[in-house]
Amino acid sequence: QVQLVESGGGLVQAGGSLRLSCAASGLSFSRCAMGWFRQPPGKEREFVAAISRSGISTYYADSVKGRFTISRDNAKNTVYLQMNSLKSEDAAVYRCAAGPTAYSGQAYRTAGEYNYWGQGTQVTVSS
């Protein structure tokens, strides 16, 4: 079956960095757009970043643009989220998601477009 397993979360000081990974199995990874979403405590889930199946196209929420970078390694079936200059408002459970796309440059910003989800990894930012 399809599995998406996130790792790399943890406790970091404000201004620090973390790199999240999401390892996928049981699906045609190279045919899927990949996304990262987060849910802060007591708040709704929100889009963070997305990358097309080829890696050509990337999209970011305005709140993370310039600080976070999404990338993927199709040979390793893994998508990454490099998070720099972390702020207290970045604290959340981060989940990766996968959604098949028809076009290599296509990616999704909305959760409903994704078919598969990981369980999430906690990111805590101390001030």
Side-chain angles (χ1 to χ4, degrees):
Q1 74 274 23
V2 175
Q3 279 194 313
L4 299 178
V5 181
E6 302 94 338
S7 61
L11 173 64
V12 63
Q13 285 191 327
S17 299
L18 281 175
R19 188 196 197 201
L20 305 184
S21 299
C22 171
S25 60
L27 77 170
S28 296
F29 183 79
S30 61
R31 293 185 177 273
C32 290
M34 299 298 296
W36 285 97
F37 291 76
R38 68 186 182 186
Q39 187 164 14
K43 297 185 178 180
E44 297 292 314
R45 178 176 57 191
E46 60 186 28
F47 169 74
V48 176
I51 188 167
S52 63
R53 66 187 200 189
S54 65
I56 288 176
S57 301
T58 56
Y59 303 98
Y60 296 93
D62 288 343
S63 58
V64 307
K65 204 170 292 184
R67 299 188 297 120
F68 289 13
T69 302
I70 188 170
S71 62
R72 65 189 295 161
D73 185 337
N74 285 351
K76 295 182 178 180
N77 285 6
T78 301
V79 63
Y80 305 96
L81 186 68
Q82 178 67 44
M83 306 187 296
N84 298 329
S85 302
L86 282 160
K87 305 176 181 179
S88 57
E89 52 263 43
D90 295 318
V93 174
Y94 283 72
R95 300 177 69 187
C96 67
T101 60
Y103 306 105
S104 61
Q106 187 177 20
Y108 307 122
R109 294 182 177 88
T110 54
E113 299 285 359
Y114 291 92
N115 301 74
Y116 308 107
W117 292 81
Q119 291 298 308
T121 185
Q122 178 73 50
V123 172
T124 304
V125 183
S126 64
S127 55

